[in-house]
Amino acid sequence: MSSFHVKLKKVVDDSYDVQIGSGLVPQLIQDLKNGLAGNVKKFAVITDSTVEPLYAEPVFHALKEAGYDGNLFVFPEGEKSKVRRTKELLEDAMLEKGYRRDCCVIAVGGGVVTDLAGFLAGTFGRGVPFINYATTLLAAADASIGGKTAVDTDLATNLIGLINQPLKVYVDIDAWKTLPERLLSDGLAETIKHACLADRELFEYLEQHSEDVFACDTDACTYISERNCQVKYQVVMKDEREKNLREILNLGHTVGRAIETVSDYRLLHGEAVAIGMAAQARLGCKCRYLGMPERDRVIELYQKCGLPVTIPDYIDREELIQKLYTDKKVRDGKLRFVFQKGIGDVMSFGDEVYARPVTEEEIRGVLKEM
């Protein structure tokens, strides 16, 4: 019997820039010319059917005009496409077009696109570089920083994936002008969540200026994009691999993700998160983690931004309860929730413990009220 120790120590710098602005396609091309993707000359532009004509085609044509090789890969829009089968189809299409390890992926779109394309990039050829070109407020808030990439399954959301950091993220505020009001509301759900957990000033700004965001005012949109990045950076910098602190970014998501799935995606991600945030605020108030006035402010801000805060009648409450157990924060079969501490902070339940067990009876009582 013998053994051999394989010593592999790595020091990796996964730092990258997030650029916020308007009309950033020329900047993307200039960055590539300046070596953003190294010597890569072949690019896979991945997008969905809605974003394709609006932004992916201009990105693709700009690449071709700059002398780069590439192809446009399109999948049907919507959360139902964020599954392993779509990833498989994209991978096969890339292989058929001759893509190998000497390529780079450019994800152009919202959170579904960046999640799916980032996961694909992390496994294609055992890992190729990728760039995010975010075109929605939700992507700017949720996918701009952190590197969390994943797909959904029938049993759970976002449990099949990996942490994979992009080369750079572009947040194009001009793209928000093409979004219907429902999608602007959808994106604001995650922004409000960030404010609730770490940025009281942002919360107060949204109370006063949410109308400016819906009007796509450049100053307002830039402000909330920057604040979103700051909140996520402060968390991800300390806990990139989601060992403890990063759980706080799941505020409202235990109920939110479950509702999103049980609704069969009739609810958008942000709409489901808004309901989940209302649920944790109600339960947190019962536990005295925040007062009734603060609970009401959270719920009222979501309503002001056109988001639901009650559970639709078509949602089966018992099915919803069981779906909660697919949440990734579950430990030893027990539900665990992250809670606000007032507005702008989160509860800590011990040394680097940011979620606490919740009984079915506790959450069932809250859901009954909603």
Side-chain angles (χ1 to χ4, degrees):
M1 182 176 179
S2 65
S3 64
F4 185 88
H5 177 62
V6 179
K7 187 176 182 180
L8 294 173
K9 273 194 172 182
K10 292 184 178 180
V11 178
V12 179
D13 185 356
D14 276 337
S15 305
Y16 59 92
D17 292 329
V18 179
Q19 184 157 357
I20 302 166
S22 299
L24 297 178
V25 175
Q27 183 63 57
L28 166 62
I29 299 303
Q30 188 59 52
D31 288 343
L32 293 176
K33 290 179 178 180
N34 291 340
L36 175 63
N39 295 321
V40 171
K41 301 296 182 184
K42 189 167 186 174
F43 294 87
V45 179
I46 296 179
T47 191
D48 67 32
S49 54
T50 296
V51 177
E52 177 190 8
L54 296 172
Y55 284 93
E57 286 183 354
V59 168
F60 174 67
H61 291 311
L63 285 168
K64 301 293 281 187
E65 289 173 5
Y68 294 107
D69 189 11
N71 296 92
L72 192 57
F73 299 92
V74 185
F75 62 86
E77 65 88 22
E79 188 79 21
K80 286 188 176 182
S81 288
K82 203 179 83 170
V83 293
R84 284 174 285 192
R85 178 58 177 163
T86 307
K87 179 173 178 284
E88 177 186 350
L89 292 171
L90 290 169
E91 290 164 341
D92 287 347
M94 288 174 62
L95 289 171
E96 288 176 4
K97 293 289 186 180
Y99 284 81
R100 297 298 183 264
R101 298 191 67 183
D102 57 342
C103 72
C104 177
V105 169
I106 301 179
V108 184
V112 170
V113 174
T114 57
D115 271 9
L116 187 58
F119 185 20
L120 180 152
T123 59
F124 190 87
R126 299 191 182 92
V128 298
F130 78 106
I131 295 164
N132 280 340
Y133 195 98
T135 62
T136 68
L137 174 51
L138 181 60
D142 204 24
S144 59
I145 290 179
K148 288 171 70 172
T149 68
V151 293
D152 302 333
T153 71
D154 290 340
L155 296 176
T157 57
N158 287 335
L159 277 178
I160 309 297
L162 47 79
I163 302 292
N164 189 27
Q165 306 295 353
L167 295 176
K168 186 171 180 178
V169 176
Y170 299 84
V171 176
D172 194 336
I173 292 172
D174 270 357
W176 299 4
K177 297 174 183 177
T178 68
L179 298 176
E181 187 170 301
R182 187 185 181 194
L183 288 184
L184 287 172
S185 293
D186 183 49
L188 276 172
E190 291 282 0
T191 300
I192 297 170
K193 179 206 74 176
H194 286 156
C196 286
L197 69 89
D199 195 337
R200 187 182 183 92
E201 183 179 318
L202 174 58
F203 189 93
E204 292 171 349
Y205 181 89
L206 290 169
E207 286 182 314
Q208 299 169 19
H209 297 281
S210 59
E211 295 88 352
D212 295 334
V213 178
F214 284 101
C216 291
D217 175 80
T218 299
D219 290 340
C221 293
T222 300
Y223 176 85
I224 66 169
S225 293
E226 290 175 347
R227 302 296 287 217
N228 274 318
C229 287
Q230 289 169 10
V231 169
K232 289 205 73 174
Y233 170 71
Q234 290 301 322
V235 175
V236 174
M237 175 184 64
K238 298 172 183 175
D239 182 19
E240 181 187 0
R241 299 288 164 177
E242 201 171 14
K243 294 179 180 178
N244 42 63
L245 178 64
R246 192 163 174 169
E247 279 193 328
I248 70 174
L249 295 176
N250 278 157
L251 183 70
H253 281 57
T254 305
V255 171
R257 271 298 191 183
I259 285 181
E260 184 179 11
T261 306
V262 173
S263 78
D264 196 29
Y265 302 105
R266 287 165 67 177
L267 289 170
L268 299 176
H269 176 67
E271 293 170 338
V273 167
I275 298 171
M277 285 292 293
Q280 71 80 28
R282 286 177 175 273
L283 183 54
C285 183
K286 290 178 183 293
C287 297
R288 299 185 179 180
Y289 301 147
L290 73 168
M292 290 181 63
E294 294 166 318
R295 177 201 65 187
D296 293 344
R297 283 178 69 187
V298 171
I299 292 172
E300 286 167 8
L301 181 54
Y302 275 108
Q303 289 177 307
K304 183 180 181 181
C305 292
L307 289 156
V309 292
T310 58
I311 301 172
D313 291 338
Y314 61 80
I315 297 288
D316 182 281
R317 299 302 198 274
E318 286 307 309
E319 183 183 359
L320 176 58
I321 291 288
Q322 294 310 307
K323 184 60 70 173
L324 295 177
Y325 285 95
T326 65
D327 184 67
K328 58 189 174 184
K329 294 187 295 302
V330 168
R331 298 288 185 274
D332 300 321
K334 295 179 180 179
L335 299 174
R336 296 168 68 249
F337 273 54
V338 177
F339 288 100
Q340 288 178 237
K341 182 181 180 182
I343 293 175
D345 200 357
V346 289
M347 291 296 300
S348 174
F349 301 100
D351 187 23
E352 297 189 339
V353 178
Y354 300 96
R356 80 156 177 87
V358 171
T359 66
E360 275 193 24
E361 289 71 23
E362 286 179 292
I363 190 58
R364 184 177 279 109
V366 168
L367 297 182
K368 186 177 181 180
E369 295 175 2
M370 300 175 64

